[in-house]
Amino acid sequence: MKAVFRAVLHLYPQWHRRLFGAEMKSVFERGRQVHRASRVAYARFVAKELCGLIPGALRARLRDEPCEGLLHEWPATATNVPAEIVPEEVARARDLVTAHLDHLKSAIARRQFERARFYSTQDLRAREGLRLVRKKYGLAE
């Protein structure tokens, strides 16, 4: 099954494998270990993984750039300004902060401390970017 997973992983574009490949392999390996006890559970796990990986690879291939595609998938966060009047630049900066914070929390929960350190740095940069964009449009923090 590892060989099949590696083959499916190569359906993803190179930028995606570079950004997320190690984490995807790690998550797959953990799931494989957990579901190994029962053949039915293992078969269900494999089917579920393939049903998620193949469409994910197609979506990743359709993106022009990694950041542009990922930015649109991140959820918006609450703000004191109604969403319909928030400039798109502010919304994107806010979404970036939310995404980095989510990644940071996830990395800590998975004990991926190097990744957590990376996202901590990215979070600080994104928060500074958000502060500057809000200042540009005269919005309160």
Side-chain angles (χ1 to χ4, degrees):
M1 188 59 215
K2 283 184 181 180
V4 172
F5 178 78
R6 283 193 303 269
V8 171
L9 194 58
H10 280 291
L11 295 175
Y12 283 83
Q14 185 177 13
W15 65 262
H16 194 281
R17 289 192 312 266
R18 210 174 27 241
L19 286 172
F20 305 112
E23 185 175 7
M24 290 172 74
K25 288 176 188 174
S26 171
V27 169
F28 176 78
E29 186 58 34
R30 276 191 306 230
R32 198 171 75 82
Q33 295 297 327
V34 168
H35 295 92
R36 186 187 279 182
S38 162
R39 286 186 178 195
V40 173
Y42 186 72
R44 191 177 300 135
F45 165 73
V46 168
K48 187 176 177 182
E49 286 297 306
L50 290 177
C51 287
L53 287 170
I54 293 172
L58 179 61
R59 282 190 305 273
R61 288 243 175 233
L62 293 175
R63 293 184 184 129
D64 290 336
E65 296 177 14
C67 292
E68 186 63 28
L70 293 173
L71 274 176
H72 294 296
E73 292 178 10
W74 289 330
T77 59
T79 180
N80 57 353
V81 180
E84 59 273 6
I85 62 169
V86 173
E88 187 175 337
E89 189 177 9
V90 174
R92 272 194 253 156
R94 186 183 59 216
D95 293 347
L96 189 60
V97 168
T98 301
H100 287 308
L101 187 58
D102 289 345
H103 288 303
L104 174 62
K105 289 177 185 176
S106 176
I108 291 170
R110 292 180 179 155
R111 298 180 186 268
Q112 298 172 335
F113 299 113
E114 285 184 37
R115 189 173 292 266
R117 190 175 312 120
F118 169 78
Y119 283 116
S120 175
T121 303
Q122 295 301 315
D123 178 59
L124 291 173
R125 289 180 183 162
R127 286 177 189 276
E128 178 61 17
L130 176 59
R131 187 187 69 73
L132 293 174
V133 171
R134 281 182 172 162
K135 183 178 179 183
K136 174 181 172 182
Y137 290 99
L139 299 173
E141 301 207 19

